[in-house]
Amino acid sequence: MRTLWRFGYSARLLKTNHFRTAASNTSFPAVWMLLAQNSGRIPGPFVVVRKNAFSTMPETVEDKANPELYSPHPGVRGMTLLNREAFKRTVVVPALKVKKEIVNSLLKSLKQSVLQRPGLKRVVEDPEDEDSRLVILDPHKIPGFSLGESEQQVLKELSVDPEVSRYNLELTYENFKSEEILRAVLPEGQEVTSGFSRVGHIAHLNLRDHQLPYRHLIGQVIIDKNPGITCAVNKTNIIDSTYRNFEMEVLAGEKNLVTKVKENNIAYELDFSKVYWNPRLSTEHGRIVELLKPGDVLFDVFAGIGPFAIPAAKKKCRVFANDLNPESYNWLLHNCRLNKVDTKVKAFNMDGREFLRGPVREELSKELPLMKEEQKNAFHIVMNLPALAVEFLDVFRHLLVGEPCSAAALPTVHCYGFSKHEDPAKDIQERAEASLGTSLDGRCSTYLVRNVAPNKEMLCISFQVPADVLYKRPCPDEAKPASKRLCTSQGFSEEKLLS
Ligand SMILES: C[S@@+](CC[C@H](N)C(=O)[O-])C[C@H]1O[C@@H](n2cnc3c(N)ncnc32)[C@H](O)[C@@H]1O
């Protein structure tokens, strides 16, 4: 899985109130600009510039005059339908004439100064002498076409004539990077993106309004420049559907959105237009699965296509996985079969609340009374629906009846949430407490998963469901006046007030 866009966030366990991801939101490739002279006036493939003229000072006059000679032909500005031919242009670069036999030694010794560019030959035929070759140099490294002292020294040692020639180098669409192409096409001064998130053969873009007129061209450039990408889609709406999948438009390439991905060495198949998949969650999936031991039980309330459930089952955990989206449920079943864990995962297609009140309650009611102190198997409940999951926590209030199990056996919840609060850890803890009706002070940990947008964090709060929340206890003082009751049908808020 390769994710190229808005990646690089660090995740940290939070016990304190102070954290912020420092990583940038983008990972655009740097613009590659080489400086050379205007090609129109130079006849032939190359001409000699000067003999034995050496300088260690850059000649910035030429550089300033042509700051972007390595960008595509300026005529492509405003293009909306990709015409690859129109990107061609000729630039003048420094070259050294060298005897065939010493080309390799020269390339080795002048590695730093030789031109490195996608799809471009560093050594070309010499049209005037079949026993010689022209070694193309990087104009950035040879400013003003003048060799520096170290280069002169190398040439002296190899007995190469230090004459620098001007070589007319033809650049085509193939030689430009996506960012350079898009910068040349889109209106000057506006933000260019060549970044995307990769899901199998699909490049998933999130274009800004000003980029939309160029969207089909942008999609095609991404396909051309990234091996393995055969389809480019753009998110057309914010992710607000119940099933957390995106509305999207295919910008270029094949229309097939059924794809294969690999995450933490496990293969999944999915229809990207119908189910949720986010390649930026692989570390988080791995982190949670790492907490599980063989024999543990995992309840995955919002399971998607199985990125917690399947690795957990592979780890020999017993898994109950649920998703409300029938498409997710079907792909979950498919991926369980694909990974040969279909006998270890019980899949459900219901609302998360009903899943907790039904299969989860049933299993916990059956298993928890059997748990002994020394028993090591644990129960984990994963709730990854960050926009809403915290509000589902009230389901745990009095979910079970009877004598509470041992403290060690109480299920551990890993609940995800977004926060735009200046202290996101405090914010998610307070919201979880409000939903559960009890304080989690000193009995929860909060983990920063990733920065989703400027000032929007995704967090995971983990805690063992307190016994006094989970169990409905007999209420001995039922006869007391309502205001003095320690136990109420709503559980703990009133009890807390009185204590
Ligand atoms: C953010 S995705 C997480 C999927 C998966 N756990 C992952 O980490 O990639 C949330 C999932 O919850 C499902 N979902 C949304 N509302 C739900 C509900 N009320 N009950 C159960 N599942 C729901 C969506 O279909 C989606 O697959």
Side-chain angles (χ1 to χ4, degrees):
M1 176 68 54
R2 191 160 54 116
T3 304
L4 303 172
W5 173 56
R6 291 187 177 169
F7 234 134
Y9 306 105
S10 58
R12 280 164 274 167
L13 184 65
L14 293 175
K15 296 276 191 188
T16 68
N17 297 337
H18 305 287
F19 68 95
R20 200 38 81 199
T21 49
S24 139
N25 239 9
T26 51
S27 59
F28 301 144
V31 181
W32 218 81
M33 291 193 302
L34 284 175
L35 307 167
Q37 217 182 29
N38 192 323
S39 59
R41 284 170 273 144
I42 312 289
F46 76 101
V47 288
V48 172
V49 181
R50 62 179 87 175
K51 284 189 180 176
N52 305 327
F54 302 119
S55 160
T56 50
M57 290 292 289
E59 287 189 3
T60 50
V61 180
E62 284 186 344
D63 300 354
K64 275 188 191 151
N66 295 294
E68 289 190 79
L69 263 176
Y70 262 63
S71 59
H73 193 283
V76 299
R77 177 82 63 209
M79 178 188 280
T80 51
L81 199 65
L82 183 62
N83 171 10
R84 296 176 183 85
E85 281 297 300
F87 286 80
K88 265 192 196 157
R89 79 182 309 177
T90 306
V91 293
V92 182
V93 292
L96 281 173
K97 187 181 171 108
V98 183
K99 283 284 163 217
K100 263 195 323 200
E101 310 75 64
I102 56 156
V103 163
N104 283 342
S105 319
L106 184 82
L107 286 178
K108 227 181 200 169
S109 312
L110 276 191
K111 211 159 53 193
Q112 301 302 326
S113 312
V114 170
L115 180 66
Q116 313 249 8
R117 189 75 198 159
L120 275 186
K121 286 186 180 163
R122 299 180 299 171
V123 181
V124 295
E125 304 272 316
D126 179 351
E128 292 171 357
D129 178 0
E130 61 177 30
D131 293 331
S132 294
R133 295 287 178 267
L134 299 174
V135 174
I136 312 293
L137 301 178
D138 181 339
H140 250 150
K141 308 286 171 53
I142 315 293
F145 295 74
S146 298
L147 295 170
E149 273 169 26
S150 58
E151 287 112 2
Q152 291 171 44
Q153 189 57 38
V154 168
L155 298 188
K156 201 170 173 187
E157 278 160 22
L158 294 169
S159 306
V160 173
D161 183 353
E163 254 180 17
V164 179
S165 308
R166 289 175 183 266
Y167 180 78
N168 283 355
L169 179 69
E170 186 177 75
L171 298 170
T172 65
Y173 175 80
E174 283 66 38
N175 306 131
F176 295 109
K177 299 177 182 177
S178 9
E179 169 117 357
E180 292 163 346
I181 291 171
L182 298 181
R183 193 170 292 291
V185 169
L186 267 67
E188 245 168 320
Q190 292 198 349
E191 193 198 333
V192 168
T193 176
S194 56
F196 58 89
S197 171
R198 184 172 181 167
V199 178
H201 69 279
I202 303 162
H204 175 212
L205 290 87
N206 187 6
L207 297 177
R208 307 278 158 83
D209 285 350
H210 71 271
Q211 297 160 342
L212 292 179
Y214 308 92
R215 63 191 185 282
H216 299 296
L217 179 143
I218 295 174
Q220 190 56 54
V221 171
I222 299 286
I223 290 174
D224 289 345
K225 296 291 172 184
N226 295 279
I229 299 278
T230 53
C231 167
V233 300
N234 185 39
K235 190 155 112 176
T236 53
N237 210 339
I238 52 163
I239 178 173
D240 58 0
S241 78
T242 309
Y243 301 148
R244 322 312 293 167
N245 53 325
F246 300 98
E247 268 179 43
M248 56 186 79
E249 178 191 14
V250 176
L251 303 177
E254 57 171 315
K255 302 252 178 305
N256 170 28
L257 294 178
V258 174
T259 194
K260 287 178 188 171
V261 294
K262 211 164 199 191
E263 181 180 277
N264 302 329
N265 271 327
I266 296 180
Y268 301 88
E269 291 175 357
L270 61 120
D271 183 338
F272 191 51
S273 64
K274 303 223 166 89
V275 302
Y276 177 90
W277 182 261
N278 186 343
R280 286 171 224 157
L281 288 179
S282 61
T283 308
E284 181 57 15
H285 294 146
R287 183 182 75 88
I288 294 293
V289 173
E290 192 62 32
L291 302 174
L292 309 176
K293 296 187 189 60
D296 284 356
V297 180
L298 174 71
F299 300 105
D300 191 351
V301 185
F302 309 105
I305 64 156
F308 290 114
I310 291 169
K314 277 193 164 271
K315 217 174 166 181
K316 300 206 176 348
C317 295
R318 275 200 304 131
V319 179
F320 296 72
N322 171 66
D323 202 284
L324 182 61
N325 179 359
E327 291 282 348
S328 288
Y329 169 75
N330 285 328
W331 284 105
L332 170 68
L333 292 176
H334 175 86
N335 287 312
C336 286
R337 286 191 295 272
L338 187 71
N339 287 287
K340 303 188 173 39
V341 290
D342 39 327
T343 55
K344 298 224 169 53
V345 179
K346 274 195 187 166
F348 300 84
N349 177 208
M350 54 174 77
D351 176 69
R353 219 169 257 282
E354 299 315 312
F355 175 63
L356 288 164
R357 288 193 182 124
V360 176
R361 183 193 342 227
E362 197 181 304
E363 191 63 19
L364 290 177
S365 304
K366 198 168 72 194
E367 293 291 325
L368 288 184
L370 308 175
M371 300 280 282
K372 297 190 194 88
E373 283 291 350
E374 69 273 15
Q375 232 171 331
K376 292 282 180 279
N377 293 349
F379 293 86
H380 290 265
I381 303 174
V382 173
M383 300 173 69
N384 182 17
L385 179 60
L388 286 176
V390 173
E391 288 160 36
F392 280 64
L393 292 176
D394 65 335
V395 176
F396 291 106
R397 296 188 190 199
H398 295 178
L399 186 68
L400 306 181
V401 288
E403 202 47 40
C405 65
S406 70
L410 288 165
T412 301
V413 169
H414 308 280
C415 180
Y416 292 85
F418 293 128
S419 180
K420 290 183 173 176
H421 201 273
E422 61 170 21
D423 186 346
K426 184 166 170 259
D427 176 44
I428 194 171
Q429 183 179 331
E430 284 175 359
R431 287 191 284 132
E433 288 174 343
S435 201
L436 289 165
T438 194
S439 166
L440 290 173
D441 260 352
R443 41 185 186 173
C444 69
S445 64
T446 314
Y447 190 84
L448 174 63
V449 177
R450 67 187 198 96
N451 173 249
V452 177
N455 297 324
K456 185 174 176 185
E457 315 291 346
M458 175 179 172
L459 299 104
C460 176
I461 182 164
S462 297
F463 56 89
Q464 278 190 293
V465 188
D468 48 0
V469 173
L470 191 60
Y471 284 92
K472 183 174 166 64
R473 291 170 295 169
C475 196
D477 39 12
E478 213 111 60
K480 286 187 184 172
S483 61
K484 289 195 176 167
R485 275 183 203 156
L486 287 177
C487 281
T488 75
S489 57
Q490 281 309 301
F492 296 86
S493 47
E494 200 176 335
E495 179 178 349
K496 235 181 120 194
L497 283 175
L498 290 169
S499 62

